[in-house]
Amino acid sequence: MKKFILLGAFALVAASMAGQSPVPDENPQVQALMKQVHAQQIQLADNQAKIDEKLATLAETIRLARIYASRGGR
């Protein structure tokens, strides 16, 4: 019974959200700012990918250094 009530509530919320349409922004300044934010988000994602790649390379270098150090007998 609780599942049906929860399902009904979810359907009601989904229907109310689907009925609302986003209002297009007529303001060119807002659109320009949104484009800038989007470009910055793309740049941040690219930078994060580069950071992750460099961290992976560094982790591999450290792993190899530990292997070589352990073989050195010190």
Side-chain angles (χ1 to χ4, degrees):
M1 185 67 173
K2 288 183 182 180
K3 289 181 182 179
F4 289 118
I5 292 173
L6 183 62
L7 182 62
F10 179 71
L12 187 63
V13 169
S16 69
M17 290 175 65
Q20 298 173 353
S21 63
V23 178
D25 291 324
E26 299 293 327
N27 193 346
Q29 290 178 339
V30 173
Q31 289 179 353
L33 289 173
M34 288 177 66
K35 286 180 183 180
Q36 283 181 342
V37 168
H38 184 67
Q40 288 176 357
Q41 288 176 339
I42 291 172
Q43 186 179 12
L44 285 172
D46 291 341
N47 288 344
Q48 186 63 45
K50 289 177 187 177
I51 289 170
D52 290 341
E53 182 181 333
K54 288 180 181 182
L55 281 174
T57 303
L58 182 61
E60 180 66 16
T61 303
I62 291 172
R63 185 185 74 83
L64 288 174
R66 287 182 179 169
I67 290 171
Y68 291 139
S70 68
R71 290 182 184 174
R74 291 188 175 194

